[in-house]
Amino acid sequence: MSREEYQVPTGSGSATGGGGGGGSFNAPAARDYAGESGGTMYYMCGDCAVRVPLEKGAAIRCQKCGARVLYKERTKRMVQFEAR
Amino acid sequence: MPHKPPTKEELERRKIVGINEETITDVSSTDFPGHYPGEDHSWDIESFRRGFRIEFHQNDPFEASFSLIGVDASIANAFRRIMIADIPTLAIETVFINNNTSVIQDEVLSHRLGLIPFKGGHEGLHKFLKWWRKPTDEALVNNSYYDYNTVSLRLEVQCEHNDKAAAGETDPTKLYKHAHVYARDIEFCPVGRQDKYFSGADIIAPVNPDILIAKLRPGQEISLSMHMHKGVGSDHAKFSPVATASYRLMPVIKIERPILGRDAEKFARCFPRGVIGLEKVTKKEAAQKGSGYEGHDGELKAVVVDPMRDTVSRECLRHDEFKGKVKLGRRRDHFIYLVESTGQWESDAIFLEAVAHLKKRAADLEKQVINMVR
Ligand SMILES: [Zn+2]
């Protein structure tokens, strides 16, 4: 499974099968980033590392230092790896 | 001509691998049927019992050294391989990364986490925990994790500036909070009955809490959870219960003609400390004709004290003064094991488990063979 295909688990799946009687658990859910979504995207300033909010169509520029190099933030999704 | 049974010396000689300056002789064992005319060398449990011995040299929790004497290389090697590749341990298998803004990449971080050895309550690790099998249907994977086959861990670290740091401080560990992420920062999250097996001293924790996982700078964060499963070393080296499990053959040093005086001191220096000792030639030895000690009463002679400590460097064979006076070799049926545990098992228990494993495998094979001829 590629990481693009990955479906974020809901975290509320119930245990099925298994005669162990013990508690089962699912893969951990992704963090809750609700409230950060919407029209505003955040970027990282390449010069001063400040978090820059950018509206659609706004000038690509750091509001603090004026640098024009902004980086995309890391994905908010949980990413799964094999420890191998 | 009737066959004469071999003398004790002859039997002893057959067990020695010869080590010369540049060659090695008698590498293979000869105690099998048909090799010596008139001698029966078919395998027999009684004669094996008579010749077999185990000696422990060191038995610490994480390091054991012992000798198996009177066993064939095939068996000794089987134990070694089983210890490395077939004894199960618990290790991190899956990493769920929520955030990692450190300079170490997700893949590399996951790999590093997988290699960290963990310890925990023996009953829980060896009896309670079972194998986890990945379901063939990917959709069912989230319903395959239970308290008896999965151990959950967490690692949450954020690096910040330390306001209390002295002015002009240059040490990152003092300048910042959590500049270094160590194995001890990993947190065990018990589920279901795991509380019963892994609490107090039996908690699942890294064997070596000071393993450095990553370095952070202010604003960087690592936030992830992990699943541990049981596995074997043949699948991945992280599951191997041993750091080293090896054996060597017992060195044999035979001084055939006396080495005396300054030569004896030089001879002793050809070996690691403690292998060769110096003793005074006694009056009795000096009086004996043809012993080579005549007229050397009171001089120092070289004697073999502890051949086990020898590394068989063959240094003594390079010097002309010892030519023809010493013979080096190794005992073909004396295996000196060194087992170093990574911490999940006691090192002697790893060997016992290897013996049990070989027994079980042999019993399984027997069943198959019986089925085959039926
Ligand atoms: Zn900036």
Side-chain angles (χ1 to χ4, degrees):
Chain A
M1 184 170 69
S2 74
R3 53 159 98 170
E4 283 73 28
E5 281 175 76
Y6 180 78
Q7 291 296 306
V8 181
T10 55
S12 59
S14 59
T16 53
S24 91
F25 45 90
N26 290 318
R31 295 163 135 198
D32 185 19
Y33 284 100
E36 285 202 14
S37 52
T40 315
M41 286 289 286
Y42 284 87
Y43 293 84
M44 298 276 286
C45 172
D47 266 17
C48 68
V50 83
R51 218 160 160 243
V52 186
L54 277 191
E55 300 286 337
K56 196 182 170 194
I60 299 167
R61 190 146 207 203
C62 171
Q63 281 125 17
K64 207 171 169 193
C65 73
R68 288 183 184 278
V69 177
L70 300 181
Y71 292 105
K72 239 185 172 12
E73 281 198 314
R74 192 198 151 98
T75 175
K76 299 283 189 284
R77 278 183 165 195
M78 186 273 283
V79 197
Q80 185 178 342
F81 290 92
E82 279 192 329
R84 278 167 191 259
Chain B
M1 193 176 83
H3 177 74
K4 263 192 258 159
T7 58
K8 222 175 162 199
E9 289 73 45
E10 165 67 6
L11 284 174
E12 204 53 31
R13 192 197 57 77
R14 286 177 188 175
K15 284 183 189 169
I16 305 293
V17 178
I19 295 178
N20 308 319
E21 207 174 338
E22 280 170 9
T23 54
I24 292 175
T25 59
D26 308 305
V27 185
S28 310
S29 54
T30 53
D31 53 346
F32 51 83
H35 190 85
Y36 298 102
E39 288 178 31
D40 177 29
H41 281 285
S42 54
W43 198 80
D44 168 54
I45 186 78
E46 275 313 315
S47 65
F48 173 78
R49 259 188 203 138
R50 252 179 281 126
F52 181 67
R53 222 163 70 237
I54 292 186
E55 277 172 22
F56 262 86
H57 311 302
Q58 182 196 359
N59 191 8
D60 297 328
F62 300 151
E63 188 161 299
S65 176
F66 52 88
S67 286
L68 253 61
I69 305 159
V71 69
D72 191 73
S74 54
I75 306 292
N77 193 44
F79 287 142
R80 184 190 64 83
R81 290 186 57 162
I82 290 169
M83 283 193 279
I84 292 170
D86 283 313
I87 307 299
T89 68
L90 187 71
I92 294 169
E93 174 69 354
T94 327
V95 182
F96 307 94
I97 301 186
N98 285 320
N99 199 9
N100 168 30
T101 47
S102 72
V103 289
I104 184 164
Q105 297 90 334
D106 293 9
E107 293 88 337
V108 181
L109 180 66
S110 304
H111 175 242
R112 284 176 74 78
L113 289 166
L115 292 171
I116 298 170
F118 280 80
K119 62 179 180 185
H122 284 202
E123 202 202 338
L125 285 175
H126 307 323
K127 297 217 175 78
F128 169 65
L129 282 180
K130 309 280 186 299
W131 301 100
W132 173 76
R133 294 266 173 257
K134 197 174 187 174
T136 41
D137 184 2
E138 288 272 359
L140 295 175
V141 97
N142 279 339
N143 281 324
S144 67
Y145 303 128
Y146 293 96
D147 62 346
Y148 57 83
N149 66 11
T150 306
V151 171
S152 199
L153 301 172
R154 236 158 53 98
L155 177 62
E156 308 272 348
V157 192
Q158 274 171 327
C159 183
E160 287 160 19
H161 280 283
N162 182 10
D163 299 331
K164 291 187 191 106
E169 179 63 65
T170 52
D171 182 357
T173 55
K174 289 172 186 153
L175 209 48
Y176 316 125
K177 291 173 188 161
H178 299 292
H180 291 177
V181 184
Y182 290 105
R184 59 170 168 269
D185 298 322
I186 296 173
E187 194 191 328
F188 167 52
C189 312
V191 178
R193 287 166 293 170
Q194 286 174 5
D195 254 334
K196 196 179 120 204
Y197 292 98
F198 307 114
S199 56
D202 290 340
I203 195 165
I204 291 189
V207 181
N208 308 288
D210 292 336
I211 296 173
L212 184 66
I213 298 170
K215 292 189 179 183
L216 302 181
R217 285 297 176 265
Q220 296 182 349
E221 179 192 23
I222 288 176
S223 163
L224 50 88
S225 53
M226 295 162 271
H227 278 178
M228 303 177 89
H229 298 296
K230 258 194 183 183
V232 289
S234 53
D235 176 35
H236 193 287
K238 69 184 174 187
F239 291 119
S240 188
V242 291
T244 58
S246 61
Y247 60 71
R248 62 197 175 99
L249 295 179
M250 179 69 156
V252 177
I253 305 162
K254 221 167 132 196
I255 299 175
E256 303 209 299
R257 284 197 282 135
I259 300 171
L260 299 160
R262 293 193 70 90
D263 276 359
E265 285 170 40
K266 185 178 175 181
F267 187 71
R269 282 200 303 274
C270 289
F271 294 87
R273 204 162 289 157
V275 175
I276 300 295
L278 299 172
E279 278 176 17
K280 280 205 171 125
V281 177
T282 59
K283 278 209 164 63
K284 202 178 144 200
E285 280 171 324
Q288 204 178 335
K289 277 243 157 68
S291 63
Y293 293 114
E294 304 102 315
H296 293 285
D297 183 15
E299 270 184 61
L300 288 177
K301 60 164 180 172
V303 289
V304 180
V305 177
D306 187 5
M308 206 183 92
R309 299 173 69 139
D310 188 21
T311 54
V312 198
S313 65
R314 301 188 236 187
E315 172 69 12
C316 65
L317 302 178
R318 295 178 61 235
H319 302 280
D320 285 333
E321 51 265 59
F322 308 132
K323 279 266 152 67
K325 291 188 174 177
V326 60
K327 248 188 172 168
L328 296 185
R330 303 198 101 134
R331 200 168 294 271
R332 198 184 298 111
D333 68 342
H334 185 145
F335 297 88
I336 306 166
Y337 281 79
L338 180 70
V339 179
E340 192 187 317
S341 167
T342 53
Q344 205 164 108
W345 294 78
E346 308 270 303
S347 46
D348 55 348
I350 295 173
F351 180 71
L352 297 180
E353 195 66 19
V355 175
H357 189 88
L358 185 61
K359 264 177 146 176
K360 195 187 163 293
R361 284 272 197 94
D364 289 351
L365 180 68
E366 189 182 25
K367 236 186 266 167
Q368 303 267 344
V369 171
I370 289 169
N371 265 337
M372 201 169 71
V373 294
R374 193 173 282 160

